Amino acid sequence: MAQAASSDPHFSHMQGARFEGLPLQNTTRFLCAAAYLDQSFCRKVVREFVEEDHRGVVPSFGFDVAPVIVHSLQARRMRLIRDGIITLVLLLALLVHAAAVLTVVIALAPIAAVPFIPWSRLGPLGSVALGTVLAVPPAVVIIGLDPVSVLNALDPGDQRYLFVYREGGAGSGDGTGFAFWLAATLVVAAAVLVPLGYRFVVYRMLRGLGPGARMTMPRPVRRRVRQTLDRVTAAQRGNVILYSGENPFLGSGDVTAPWSRAWSITLELDRVAGATGSALRRGPVPKNVDPVGLHQYVHERIVAMRDEIPPHERVSGLLVDWHVVAQGECAQAGRPVDTSGADPYFHGHPLIDKERSVPYSWADGDTISAIIQHPQANVRCYQRVTVGAQGQAVRDRMGRPIAPAEDQDILLSAFLHFAVEGRMLHVQFVVNALPPIRREFRIVDHLPAFTTGMTALLTLREGGTRALGDGLVSPFRLVRAARRIVRERFRSAGMAPGAFLTYDYGARISVREEAAEPGFRTFMQKLDADKCTSLIERRVNEAVLEYLQQCEVDDTAYREQASVVLNSPFIVSGGAASGGRIAVGGAEAHIARWRTRPSA
């Protein structure tokens, strides 16, 4: 068999350094707090970056994902300790008096479930019916009949339940034995006091993530996790991303959101500017439109919005970079390079490091140019424009500060794709916005000012109603967490991903998206997102028109289609994949409708 082709000159690993001692960005602080306050968020982060440490890394804008991973591991350890303590206390209570444990659990379980039930969805009749059912077990206990006594009363000849009784306990008649009440007290203390104490400790710890907190990266014990942190720290600044699922713009927001926009314009390149009638067929051929040159020209015009204007007119926080994407399901078996069979067989995948079995995170300039010039390949290249993070300070004419710069709560991302195929130019534009981080994670801005008493009151207010439910399910959580840890260890000792014929290396989540609000909090944020979208759209279209004029291409049809796009709003929402066209003045603009889930 012929020697495998090598992709090493084209893709590589991004090199990066740690940022210990530097102030944490606000978004990073909020995401670290989310690891302690949202168990689902913590579990997803650990699964994505620790349990399956071979996946692609979503680019990070305005935050650093490595501290989030470290705090997620620490939060998981703290939850394991909490659940372990509760489980041990419950086991001790079972040894003291099993009937008391059964009685208390049956009585408290319906009460613990009340805060977790969506009562508003049940309606009046459903709420009354469910409430009546939940009230039966506590009522049985209140009237003095423990469940074991009830079971024995139903069948007096069957004594198999008597093994749980102790002399002087609930089964002896009065139900006031010392063992019974000791076991009951242990159950209540474990189910209520330990979860509340855990939440109080978490709030006290989160004081260290207040404004001005600096980067502290405690090194995990395991070498594999340290290697993962080093890779993720570098890869998050790269320009290559493998995605799992159907969203190639992972990290930019929900493409099914109503504020997401996507449009495309197609233009024939054989028409010379100024030619009419028969001259269109026999006139001179326009200059070739180079998609790489078009990308570079648009890049310069967008960057000028930040660098080549007075400071007070600049678009703050504007970044322009490449976004090379490919599906995460990678074929790794030997296969021909193309249908001609002239080239040697290709083994592995060009975006995967065969030695480390992890995706590459960086593509150099020549590789990006080649990808742009081959738009039908599985690997696609977009120019990514990001606006957000840094704010802008307000100064008077003398340069004196009036208002300090504050971070923006939203992050807007636009993706540009230019393809030249069949003497046609295809321009694709996708823009989306990430809403602000959820309000409950921003509590780290307030906790440093809280006294011990205020923290205790906050603990009761936020966790009091759910403490009982959290405590009773702790043994089940402990078993599930232990199973995940064992599975993680076995996976790391198993077969490397590179040994499979195909393997999914794609990123599945963006930590920034996971912590985002479902929508904008204020109307001003909606206006800011619309403003940035309009600025970028207008600048992109004007830059494309200027480049077409330099190439002496007739841009009349493009102007008409651009007018349709800029002046005709449309919605991107849920359902099935579809598209549409809007015609104005003889021109047609293609409207892409992303439909990945049913709309509400």
Side-chain angles (χ1 to χ4, degrees), residues 174-222:
D174 59 2
T176 60
F178 174 77
F180 179 92
W181 290 111
L182 176 60
T185 302
L186 289 175
V187 172
V188 175
V192 177
L193 298 183
V194 175
L196 288 176
Y198 164 79
R199 183 176 287 268
F200 180 84
V201 171
V202 166
Y203 285 146
R204 297 292 290 181
M205 285 186 55
L206 291 181
R207 292 162 58 94
L209 291 174
R214 294 185 174 273
M215 182 81 71
T216 56
M217 294 286 289
R219 311 278 303 178
V221 176
R222 284 180 292 156

Side-chain angles (χ1 to χ4, degrees), residues 97 99-100 102-103 106 140-141 143-165 169-175 180:
H97 202 298
L102 180 62
T103 300
I106 292 178
V140 171
V141 175
I143 64 177
L145 294 176
D146 63 84
V148 178
S149 299
V150 174
L151 292 174
N152 286 324
L154 293 176
D155 188 3
D158 189 353
Q159 302 298 315
R160 66 177 179 271
Y161 302 107
L162 292 179
F163 74 96
V164 299
Y165 283 17
S172 63
D174 59 2
F180 179 92

Side-chain angles (χ1 to χ4, degrees), residues 28 35 41 47 71 73 77 79 87 105 138 165 177 234 266 271 391 400 438 471 505 545 554 562:
T28 306
F41 175 87
R47 180 188 175 197
H71 282 279
L73 290 172
R77 287 192 294 267
R79 290 191 179 96
T87 303
V105 169
Y165 283 17
T266 303
R271 296 176 178 266
R400 294 171 298 191
R438 283 154 52 184
Y505 293 89
L545 288 170
D554 182 14

Side-chain angles (χ1 to χ4, degrees), residues 489-512:
R489 300 297 177 88
F490 274 105
R491 183 182 290 114
S492 63
M495 190 164 55
F500 293 88
L501 298 181
T502 60
Y503 201 86
D504 188 0
Y505 293 89
R508 293 172 300 188
I509 67 166
S510 160
V511 296
R512 176 63 178 83

Side-chain angles (χ1 to χ4, degrees), residues 2 27 73 92 290 342 375 401 419 425 474 516 537 541 543 555-556:
T27 302
L73 290 172
L92 177 62
D290 179 17
L425 171 65
S474 287
E537 278 184 329
N541 280 310
D555 60 4
T556 303

Side-chain angles (χ1 to χ4, degrees), residues 533-572:
T533 299
S534 300
L535 292 174
I536 297 173
E537 278 184 329
R538 181 70 66 176
R539 179 52 63 98
V540 168
N541 280 310
E542 293 297 335
V544 172
L545 288 170
E546 292 171 5
Y547 188 82
L548 293 176
Q549 291 174 355
Q550 295 178 7
C551 296
E552 300 178 359
V553 175
D554 182 14
D555 60 4
T556 303
Y558 189 96
R559 290 183 180 275
E560 293 175 345
Q561 295 180 72
S563 176
V564 173
V565 168
L566 294 176
N567 299 313
S568 300
F570 56 92
I571 296 177
V572 180

Side-chain angles (χ1 to χ4, degrees), residues 55-388:
R55 294 188 174 273
V57 180
V58 177
S60 301
F61 291 91
F63 71 97
D64 185 16
V65 74
V68 183
I69 299 174
V70 173
H71 282 279
S72 296
L73 290 172
Q74 182 169 325
R76 185 177 70 169
R77 287 192 294 267
M78 292 179 60
R79 290 191 179 96
L80 285 173
I81 295 173
R82 175 199 64 186
D83 295 339
I85 293 174
I86 294 175
T87 303
L88 288 176
V89 174
L90 292 179
L91 290 175
L92 177 62
L94 280 172
L95 294 176
V96 173
H97 202 298
V101 174
L102 180 62
T103 300
V104 173
V105 169
I106 292 178
L108 296 182
I111 302 175
V114 170
F116 301 92
I117 297 175
W119 296 100
S120 59
R121 298 182 182 179
L122 299 178
L125 294 179
S127 299
V128 172
L130 182 58
T132 302
V133 173
L134 293 178
V136 171
V140 171
V141 175
I142 290 174
I143 64 177
L145 294 176
D146 63 84
V148 178
S149 299
V150 174
L151 292 174
N152 286 324
L154 293 176
D155 188 3
D158 189 353
Q159 302 298 315
R160 66 177 179 271
Y161 302 107
L162 292 179
F163 74 96
V164 299
Y165 283 17
R166 299 294 176 90
E167 184 177 354
S172 63
D174 59 2
T176 60
F178 174 77
F180 179 92
W181 290 111
L182 176 60
T185 302
L186 289 175
V187 172
V188 175
V192 177
L193 298 183
V194 175
L196 288 176
Y198 164 79
R199 183 176 287 268
F200 180 84
V201 171
V202 166
Y203 285 146
R204 297 292 290 181
M205 285 186 55
L206 291 181
R207 292 162 58 94
L209 291 174
R214 294 185 174 273
M215 182 81 71
T216 56
M217 294 286 289
R219 311 278 303 178
V221 176
R222 284 180 292 156
R223 176 173 171 269
R224 188 174 68 90
V225 177
R226 293 200 300 267
Q227 293 176 343
T228 298
L229 287 175
D230 292 337
R231 182 180 74 89
V232 170
T233 300
Q236 66 180 344
R237 311 299 179 198
N239 56 18
V240 176
I241 173 66
L242 295 175
Y243 63 96
S244 181
E246 57 181 321
N247 181 12
F249 311 118
L250 196 62
S252 66
D254 183 6
V255 293
T256 66
W259 52 80
S260 178
R261 290 173 59 87
W263 53 260
S264 61
I265 295 177
T266 303
L267 177 69
E268 185 179 351
L269 298 177
D270 285 334
R271 296 176 178 266
V272 182
T276 58
S278 60
L280 290 174
R281 295 186 296 273
R282 62 175 183 270
V285 178
K287 298 179 181 179
N288 288 330
V289 174
D290 179 17
V292 178
L294 177 55
H295 265 295
Q296 183 61 35
Y297 188 83
V298 173
H299 174 89
E300 294 173 355
R301 296 290 291 129
I302 293 176
V303 171
M305 301 172 65
R306 180 194 63 197
D307 298 341
E308 299 179 7
I309 53 180
H312 63 277
E313 296 181 8
R314 294 174 182 172
V315 179
S316 300
L318 186 146
L319 300 173
V320 186
D321 203 351
W322 297 110
H323 186 78
V324 180
V325 295
Q327 291 183 348
E329 189 74 24
C330 297
Q332 303 181 121
R335 57 202 183 279
V337 175
D338 55 31
T339 56
S340 66
D343 295 308
Y345 262 57
F346 197 103
H347 292 274
H349 193 277
L351 295 177
I352 304 300
D353 185 342
K354 291 183 290 186
E355 296 182 359
R356 300 170 55 183
S357 294
V358 295
Y360 288 114
S361 57
W362 182 256
D364 59 21
D366 292 339
T367 302
I368 289 175
S369 298
I371 295 173
I372 293 174
Q373 292 172 341
H374 295 78
Q376 296 181 4
N378 181 50
V379 184
R380 303 290 174 87
C381 183
Y382 289 81
Q383 188 171 174
R384 176 170 184 160
V385 183
T386 305
V387 181

Side-chain angles (χ1 to χ4, degrees), residues 402-580:
I402 297 177
E406 296 184 6
D407 287 353
Q408 302 294 324
D409 287 335
I410 63 175
L411 181 71
L412 185 134
S413 300
F415 300 86
L416 312 175
H417 179 68
F418 303 131
V420 176
E421 302 179 63
R423 295 297 299 164
M424 304 287 286
L425 171 65
H426 182 76
V427 178
Q428 188 178 90
F429 181 89
V430 179
V431 64
N432 203 358
L434 263 174
I437 292 180
R438 283 154 52 184
R439 186 182 298 273
E440 59 263 34
F441 303 151
R442 297 169 177 267
I443 195 173
V444 292
D445 284 346
H446 310 288
L447 286 175
F450 276 38
T451 63
T452 302
M454 294 172 64
T455 305
L457 291 176
L458 177 66
T459 300
L460 292 175
R461 188 185 68 187
E462 297 295 330
T465 58
R466 293 174 174 261
L468 182 58
D470 289 338
L472 292 180
V473 300
S474 287
F476 305 99
R477 273 201 309 255
L478 182 64
V479 173
R480 185 175 59 181
R483 186 176 67 248
R484 287 198 182 97
I485 293 176
V486 172
R487 184 176 58 191
E488 173 191 334
R489 300 297 177 88
F490 274 105
R491 183 182 290 114
S492 63
M495 190 164 55
F500 293 88
L501 298 181
T502 60
Y503 201 86
D504 188 0
Y505 293 89
R508 293 172 300 188
I509 67 166
S510 160
V511 296
R512 176 63 178 83
E513 284 187 19
E514 291 293 331
E517 294 273 13
F520 297 111
R521 284 205 307 265
T522 66
F523 186 65
M524 188 62 68
Q525 291 173 346
K526 297 180 182 179
L527 294 178
D528 287 344
D530 183 71
K531 177 189 68 175
C532 292
T533 299
S534 300
L535 292 174
I536 297 173
E537 278 184 329
R538 181 70 66 176
R539 179 52 63 98
V540 168
N541 280 310
E542 293 297 335
V544 172
L545 288 170
E546 292 171 5
Y547 188 82
L548 293 176
Q549 291 174 355
Q550 295 178 7
C551 296
E552 300 178 359
V553 175
D554 182 14
D555 60 4
T556 303
Y558 189 96
R559 290 183 180 275
E560 293 175 345
Q561 295 180 72
S563 176
V564 173
V565 168
L566 294 176
N567 299 313
S568 300
F570 56 92
I571 296 177
V572 180
S573 58
S578 66

